[in-house]
Amino acid sequence: MTSAPVTETAPTEAITVHKVGGRVGAVIEGVRLGGDLDADTLAAVRAAILEHKVVFFRDQSHLDADSHEAFGRLLGTPVAHPTVPSVDGRYAFGIDNDHGGRANQWHTDVTFVPAYPAFSILRAEVIPPYGGNTLWSNTAAVYASLPEPLRVLADSLRGVHTNDYDYAAARPEARPAALEQHRKVFTSTKFQTEHPVVRVHPETGERTLVLGNFVQKLAGFRAADSRALIDLLQSNVERPENTVRWQWRAGDVAIWDNRATQHYGVDDSDDHERTLRRVTIDGDVPVGVDGRRSVLLSPESVPEPSHGIASGASTDGDVAEAA
């Protein structure tokens, strides 16, 4: 995957990076995001994402759909969601709470396909007067904090991820519009992919957990044992010490390393409008500690989207290094 060329001019402002959580999250100041970002600034932003897993920018209201996408191209190749149509006919994924877009479950984006996104870039357009925060967890820090016997076990596990799960059971409070979207749109193509539970990050070399709400079962385990092990590992992801919480303002942008995080959108803003736009950057096929790669179980291939390349269809092992 090749990224778009960047200009060679020197940065015009000093960049500052301030941690907002002990294990995850930082605010970056002194950067005006866009497709014209210079090479040095881009390198600093990318390094901060890899180190802090999620970074936040205030006051980026100048961004629109085109400049949001143009900036994304500096990080890699944008991809559309494999089942949900974009809001602009290109790559912008709409997160609108009036259309069922309430992601109040811990998840990593699109892990039901093999090469799920490397980065996600989320831009806030309309923010409610209260609530609607988002939480992120650093799954590299989670893995490192596990007791050694549990790490050894996790290294050997393989998980089956799917978008075809019991949405009504997972979200009994969901509105009819959300249930309808899940049935007709989100699962219009039903995917199953087997991932290592622990992947080796292709850029940092860290070991990160691949879990979240798309995990259906662990390969080779009875259902009850599978669920018990998933819940045990996932409970560590959700520990407050491993998370950061962001209170949105209109014009904010969050960028996260989707290979090393999970996130959760808090659904506590009642009926107030909450509108965000996400551009995702194509990822690479995960490789486990034992060298085994993720495998698409069904369908036979990731369908071609109406625009761009098939999300998560990459099969070359050096996608992230070339981003």
Side-chain angles (χ1 to χ4, degrees), residues 72-112:
R73 288 186 178 280
L74 300 183
L75 292 176
T77 302
V79 285
H81 193 278
T83 59
V84 180
S86 68
V87 295
D88 64 352
R90 293 177 61 82
Y91 302 110
F93 181 80
I95 301 176
D96 304 342
N97 60 3
D98 59 340
H99 293 98
R102 300 172 185 265
N104 58 331
Q105 300 173 81
W106 282 103
H107 67 286
T108 297
D109 287 335
V110 202
T111 58
F112 47 85

Side-chain angles (χ1 to χ4, degrees), residues 155-237:
D155 286 345
S156 69
L157 300 176
R158 306 274 294 186
V160 176
H161 295 235
T162 182
N163 60 332
D164 185 24
Y165 60 93
D166 191 342
Y167 187 84
R171 294 188 57 192
E173 79 293 347
R175 300 181 180 188
L179 294 171
E180 186 69 5
Q181 170 151 335
H182 183 82
R183 185 179 68 84
K184 283 191 172 182
V185 179
F186 195 77
T187 59
S188 56
T189 299
K190 297 178 181 180
F191 292 93
Q192 277 195 327
T193 294
E194 182 184 287
H195 290 297
V197 167
V198 179
R199 70 175 294 182
V200 180
H201 195 290
E203 295 189 71
T204 68
E206 295 172 300
R207 296 183 182 186
T208 69
L209 294 176
V210 187
L211 293 167
N213 75 300
F214 296 124
V215 180
Q216 182 183 53
K217 61 184 178 181
L218 297 178
F221 285 83
R222 294 183 304 172
D225 295 338
S226 173
R227 179 44 54 188
L229 286 171
I230 291 170
D231 290 345
L232 173 61
L233 292 167
Q234 182 65 30
S235 68
N236 284 274
V237 173

Side-chain angles (χ1 to χ4, degrees), residues 278-294:
R278 188 184 80 203
V279 170
T280 52
I281 305 305
D282 197 27
D284 57 297
V285 178
V287 177
V289 175
D290 59 1
R292 294 174 60 199
R293 295 155 63 85
S294 299

Side-chain angles (χ1 to χ4, degrees), residues 255-271:
I255 309 173
W256 62 94
D257 185 343
N258 196 54
R259 301 159 296 185
T261 55
Q262 287 185 35
H263 58 282
Y264 181 108
V266 183
D267 182 11
D268 62 347
S269 52
D270 298 325
D271 292 328

